[in-house]
Amino acid sequence: MDKSNGLRVILFPLSIQGCINPMIQLAKILHSRGFSITVIHTRFNAPKASNHPLFTFLQIQDGLSETETRTQDVTLLLTLLNRSCESPFRHCLTKLLQSADSDTGEKKEKISCLIDDSGWIFTQPIAQSLNLPRLVLTTYNVSFFRNHFVLPQLRRDEMYLHIQDSEQDDLVQDFPPLRKKDLRRILDQETEVLDSYSAMILETTKASSGLIFVSCEELDQDSLSQTREDFQIPIFTIGPSHSYFPGSSSSLFTVDDTCMPWLDKQEDKSVIYVSFGSIATIGETEFMEIAWGLRNSNQPFLWVVRLSSVEQDTEWIEKIPKKFIEMLHEKGKIVNWSPQQQVLKHRAIGGFLTHNGWNSTVESVCEGVPMICLPFQWDQLSNARFVSDVWMVGVHLEGLIERDEIEGAIRRLLSETEGEAIRERMKLLKEKVGRSLKPKGSSHRSLQHLVDFISSF
Ligand code: UDX
């Protein structure tokens, strides 16, 4: 840490893994620049305070029942959390500000601002009423963040209902680089609850003091200038924040490190890493199709299968014939949770079969690992199109979870012709993004602006 600057920042991550990681990474960055850090968090999915002894952690009640904490429905979860956390959060923040005001000791600190996730829709009025500047961190890329506010209108127009078969692959003009078939998937899944939620995110973000993206100009240039125009607030693209402090310390799951010595035994760029993040679930049939696709490709693979990620009873894995599992283990390794950032860095990794959560996508780009895209929902569909259609650093499964498709995609990715071109483009993209993090690079400058901005309050 630089010498303390006498300022404290309060962070409030949304309680899911994909949102906790970037917020904790931001906390580490700000701490290294002299800020003291307080993290307010829910009891549900609480980050491990012991991993960050230099931060202060304050837990608030989230009102979730045991059953609710097990829901796979993220919309429901966010609705419940937003409903029940408002009052405990207000109480906690008010107390923090009061004690900072009444502190007269030598170590008196000023609370500079609140940084919380765009998905918390009650925090802006609270911060405003307490005269505390609020900055918003979003875990979407710039393009999806800006464009997803148009979804309620597209739903009202019912345009997605009239997509002809011949138009499936056409670009959605109001939402590039989504294709019309992607739009149908996004709108099919979402309910009106999400439309009003998005409207609240838009309103509370516009009223905030600034917006932070874990992205960079090199990845999101086109949408960035439009977003600046739309929002009229300072916007910071601090780049892939995990690169500043490699190694995730904010895992909510128990990390199985045994995959690292296993990777050491594999040949360079031979292993397909498979992970669908912290939320996505698949059915038993899909599990078997992926398993066969991996096995038939004859490539070694490392597969993250979270305990709750297959939609069946928890003992389902016990029911898979032992012979089949043994056959999988001839070529592969299955773990419940991996040290993903370390895995992607490993010389043995040749490709990443991913759901394209934004964190996973950016982590893969930073390590120059080409991707096989299997997006499940929401922003993942847009991120996947960036990978396959815009940056052209991966192949897209087009939603087909079938053994032949998976085997074929692995072969294409590792092939000498198509695969070589993909690997070359990925190498260039990795270098471009890497440069943005270096002094004078776009992310480096944007981060400095953020630090100056927060210090000016
Ligand atoms: C969610 C949304 O699904 C995603 O679309 C959005 O962009 C962010 O929030 P999630 O589905 O969990 O996140 O995916 P992702 O964004 O990729 O985040 C997963 C994080 O968990 C990554 O930082 C990844 O490194 C980490 N991870 C994943 C591990 O550390 N180990 C694993 O085994 C799997």
Side-chain angles (χ1 to χ4, degrees):
M1 179 186 180
D2 283 2
K3 202 169 156 292
S4 164
N5 61 11
L7 295 173
R8 180 169 289 274
V9 176
I10 299 173
L11 298 114
F12 183 35
L14 204 60
S15 325
I16 50 181
Q17 182 76 76
C19 299
I20 291 173
N21 283 2
M23 190 67 89
I24 295 291
Q25 282 147 4
L26 179 61
K28 290 191 209 170
I29 296 171
L30 294 178
H31 186 261
S32 74
R33 301 296 186 100
F35 294 91
S36 301
I37 301 293
T38 295
V39 179
I40 302 179
H41 62 87
T42 55
R43 184 185 54 104
F44 167 66
N45 277 350
K48 259 200 205 99
S50 56
N51 285 352
H52 309 279
L54 299 175
F55 302 168
T56 304
F57 285 84
L58 294 174
Q59 180 165 297
I60 57 169
Q61 290 303 319
D62 49 50
L64 295 184
S65 67
E66 271 315 297
T67 324
E68 286 165 344
T69 60
R70 283 195 296 273
T71 180
Q72 305 282 347
D73 181 344
V74 183
T75 309
L76 173 68
L77 185 68
L78 297 185
T79 309
L80 291 170
L81 284 170
N82 267 289
R83 201 175 292 154
S84 54
C85 291
E86 179 170 354
S87 171
F89 177 79
R90 180 194 301 279
H91 182 70
C92 181
L93 191 62
T94 309
K95 252 177 75 182
L96 270 174
L97 288 165
Q98 279 167 353
S99 61
D101 275 349
S102 61
D103 192 353
T104 50
E106 244 177 60
K107 280 194 163 175
K108 186 172 163 53
E109 278 179 334
K110 182 181 168 212
I111 295 181
S112 149
C113 66
L114 165 71
I115 304 181
D116 69 303
D117 197 288
S118 58
W120 289 124
I121 51 174
F122 59 80
T123 50
Q124 180 59 35
I126 295 179
Q128 219 161 317
S129 69
L130 295 168
N131 272 329
L132 186 67
R134 167 185 180 243
L135 279 88
V136 173
L137 176 79
T138 170
T139 52
Y140 299 148
N141 72 0
V142 183
S143 163
F144 187 85
F145 185 78
R146 173 178 187 266
N147 290 328
H148 88 286
F149 297 117
V150 86
L151 289 173
Q153 184 59 46
L154 295 178
R155 190 197 312 280
R156 276 195 294 277
D157 294 348
E158 296 189 350
M159 78 164 262
Y160 69 100
L161 292 176
H162 310 296
I163 299 170
Q164 310 290 324
D165 279 352
S166 59
E167 302 176 307
Q168 297 285 343
D169 284 322
D170 293 356
L171 210 64
V172 181
Q173 295 302 333
D174 292 324
F175 206 145
L178 275 194
R179 297 190 189 185
K180 289 190 177 171
K181 59 184 175 190
D182 304 323
L183 180 67
R184 173 174 280 160
R185 277 181 71 189
I186 289 184
L187 287 175
D188 270 0
Q189 287 164 355
E190 304 310 330
T191 62
E192 279 177 42
V193 178
L194 261 194
D195 285 354
S196 54
Y197 185 51
S198 298
M200 284 302 291
I201 292 178
L202 182 61
E203 187 186 320
T204 53
T205 303
K206 280 191 168 173
S208 75
S209 301
L211 177 56
I212 306 168
F213 287 100
V214 188
S215 186
C216 56
E217 286 175 11
E218 286 71 7
L219 294 177
D220 250 337
Q221 181 62 57
D222 290 348
S223 324
L224 198 53
S225 38
Q226 296 159 336
T227 311
R228 289 193 203 285
E229 250 174 60
D230 291 355
F231 281 82
Q232 301 284 322
I233 53 173
I235 290 185
F236 307 93
T237 45
I238 62 170
S241 54
H242 73 278
S243 307
Y244 295 91
F245 293 93
S248 174
S249 50
S250 45
S251 248
L252 298 170
F253 303 84
T254 306
V255 177
D256 184 344
D257 284 320
T258 59
C259 52
M260 298 314 290
W262 180 85
L263 281 174
D264 288 343
K265 291 191 206 115
Q266 310 303 323
E267 284 175 24
D268 284 4
K269 298 202 184 309
S270 65
V271 176
I272 301 297
Y273 173 57
V274 188
S275 163
F276 305 129
S278 63
I279 298 168
T281 53
I282 52 174
E284 242 179 284
T285 316
E286 292 165 327
F287 175 88
M288 293 307 273
E289 288 301 309
I290 295 171
W292 276 113
L294 291 169
R295 186 64 191 89
N296 293 347
S297 76
N298 214 22
Q299 289 299 133
F301 61 87
L302 171 61
W303 187 2
V304 178
V305 183
R306 291 186 341 269
L307 283 178
S308 55
S309 67
V310 182
E311 295 160 347
Q312 293 302 329
D313 60 287
T314 46
E315 262 91 63
W316 68 274
I317 205 158
E318 315 285 322
K319 293 183 203 145
I320 297 178
K322 263 217 169 78
K323 275 227 157 71
F324 182 74
I325 294 286
E326 274 166 24
M327 181 196 69
L328 283 182
H329 283 154
E330 281 167 19
K331 271 284 179 185
K333 181 159 177 73
I334 297 180
V335 293
N336 291 151
W337 193 251
S338 80
Q340 179 163 304
Q341 292 166 23
Q342 258 173 284
V343 166
L344 289 169
K345 258 190 204 331
H346 199 284
R347 53 152 192 85
I349 298 294
F352 183 10
L353 171 52
T354 170
H355 73 312
N356 289 113
W358 185 242
N359 294 296
S360 293
T361 305
V362 168
E363 286 161 12
S364 202
V365 167
C366 285
E367 302 311 331
V369 177
M371 286 168 256
I372 298 172
C373 305
L374 184 57
F376 287 72
Q377 57 185 349
W378 206 229
D379 64 320
Q380 298 159 12
L381 284 113
S382 163
N383 301 337
R385 288 293 166 210
F386 270 96
V387 170
S388 63
D389 299 7
V390 180
W391 309 325
M392 297 195 291
V393 294
V395 296
H396 202 301
L397 279 172
E398 304 297 347
L400 297 170
I401 312 187
E402 293 165 17
R403 62 189 75 185
D404 292 349
E405 296 292 333
I406 290 164
E407 180 191 345
I410 295 172
R411 291 194 190 284
R412 278 171 66 196
L413 199 71
L414 299 179
S415 69
E416 276 180 19
T417 43
E418 187 183 2
E420 188 53 44
I422 289 177
R423 283 190 290 280
E424 190 51 36
R425 283 192 291 271
M426 184 48 119
K427 191 170 152 242
L428 296 176
L429 187 65
K430 173 189 167 173
E431 286 166 6
K432 228 160 67 164
V433 172
R435 275 198 298 278
S436 93
L437 293 158
K438 298 252 162 67
K440 296 207 178 118
S442 70
S443 302
H444 194 273
R445 276 184 281 122
S446 194
L447 177 61
Q448 190 52 48
H449 288 155
L450 175 65
V451 169
D452 295 343
F453 187 60
I454 299 176
S455 309
S456 72
F457 292 132

